[in-house]
Amino acid sequence: MSSDLKVKFLKIYANLPLAAREEVIVVVDNEPMSWNVLRIEVENDTPKGSKGLTILWQLKIL
């Protein structure tokens, strides 16, 4: 997982309103992931977290 993408994601996450963190941001392997769920995956360096960051980068969100 790219540390640059991880840092960008965590900076955006930190500035989100609490209510927005519950919203679905990405679908990985047919599983919708909210900002909160993706943060947990990213912090634990899981394959799903890496896929989620890659998708967000491809969509130009990161």
Side-chain angles (χ1 to χ4, degrees), residues 1-2 7 11 13-14 26 29 45-46 52-53 61:
M1 172 180 324
S2 168
V7 169
K11 283 182 180 180
Y13 178 86
V26 69
D29 299 331
D45 294 320
T46 66
L53 289 180
I61 295 173

Side-chain angles (χ1 to χ4, degrees), residues 9 12 15 21 23 32-33 38-41 44 52 57:
F9 172 79
I12 292 170
N15 290 307
R21 294 178 182 181
E23 296 175 8
M33 300 176 81
L38 185 56
R39 179 189 54 83
I40 293 167
E41 297 288 338
N44 289 306
W57 178 75

Side-chain angles (χ1 to χ4, degrees), residues 15-37:
N15 290 307
L16 285 174
L18 293 178
R21 294 178 182 181
E22 297 297 325
E23 296 175 8
V24 172
I25 184 64
V26 69
V27 177
V28 177
D29 299 331
N30 292 322
E31 183 179 332
M33 300 176 81
S34 68
W35 285 94
N36 284 331
V37 171

